[in-house]
Amino acid sequence: MRIVNLIENTPGVPGCSYEHGLSFYIETKKHRLLADSGATDQFLHNAGVLGIDLSTVDTMILSHGHYDHAGGIRAFSGMNPDAKIYLRASAGGEYYHLKADGEKYIGIEKEILKLGQCVFVQGDLEIDDELFLYTDVPGTRYPARGNRLLKRREAGEFVQDTFDHEQCLVISQDGKRILLSGCAHTGILNILDRYKEIFHSEPDMVISGFHLMKEGEYTQDEILNIRNIARELAEMDTVFYTGHCTGEEACGIMEEIMGEKLRVLHSGMTIL
């Protein structure tokens, strides 16, 4: 298996761009995968720098309906019109971030929904013996505090986003399982609880943002929240790769507790 980060928030491999976005290239025995596409088409530039031919990709997975994961889809489709694109049926909703200076649309471009290669997923989906998608994450343990400002517009009104457009990818190969979640808006511990319910084990590796980033200083309660999450993750026999929406400060707090079990992502980084 091969897993390479194509773009992330922080600089990494020389020559690779970075942005507030996330994308991965993955090779398995049966597939060439693209997991998310960053906020723009810069992941295509980085793929070139890294010597990765995205025209060979057969499957793309969109983790959820936010621009920083879907912004490069149309550019990808333009150079690879045959790869299937799996996204939740609700991924095209009207999603917004309510900020002090006004509302910001953070949903995906509507033109994406018209692409013939899109596969709209309802519920869990076993693509084959390597790839499994799941959603419907229950539980509210240590929810991401930033979620409170993320809304869905319905009938002209803002309502709380429930993140039913979020899906997780599990890759199985050679007796190992790897879990990928774009931002873990439903909470990484809740996502792992659902994983354990399905697979009756812990994943060997998790690659995910934890959505702990914050503008300004963390409160003591927020720091405690981050530490509590890290303590639970540290008890697992799993290696975690994180970045993007986790934020550098939160990563630092978690590293103090998790040590080598936590690896911080950077743009262009090879994971496997």
Side-chain angles (χ1 to χ4, degrees), residues 141-142 189 193 227-236:
R141 294 196 298 144
Y142 305 117
L189 295 178
D193 286 344
R227 287 177 174 158
N228 285 337
I229 293 170
R231 289 188 186 101
E232 290 211 32
L233 298 182
E235 292 175 359
M236 297 176 60

Side-chain angles (χ1 to χ4, degrees), residues 109-125:
E109 297 176 82
K110 301 306 181 186
E111 293 299 312
I112 293 170
L113 306 175
K114 300 175 184 177
L115 295 174
Q117 61 204 112
C118 285
V119 179
F120 296 98
V121 180
Q122 302 272 8
D124 299 345
L125 176 65

Side-chain angles (χ1 to χ4, degrees), residues 6 24-27 31-35 43 52-61 76 79-85 117:
L6 291 181
F24 296 93
Y25 171 74
I26 304 163
E27 292 181 9
H31 295 283
R32 300 293 182 270
L33 297 164
L34 182 67
F43 77 103
I52 294 171
D53 182 5
L54 294 181
S55 69
T56 66
V57 167
D58 58 85
T59 303
M60 179 188 171
I61 307 295
F76 170 69
M79 55 86 66
N80 186 335
D82 298 319
K84 290 184 178 180
I85 301 172
Q117 61 204 112

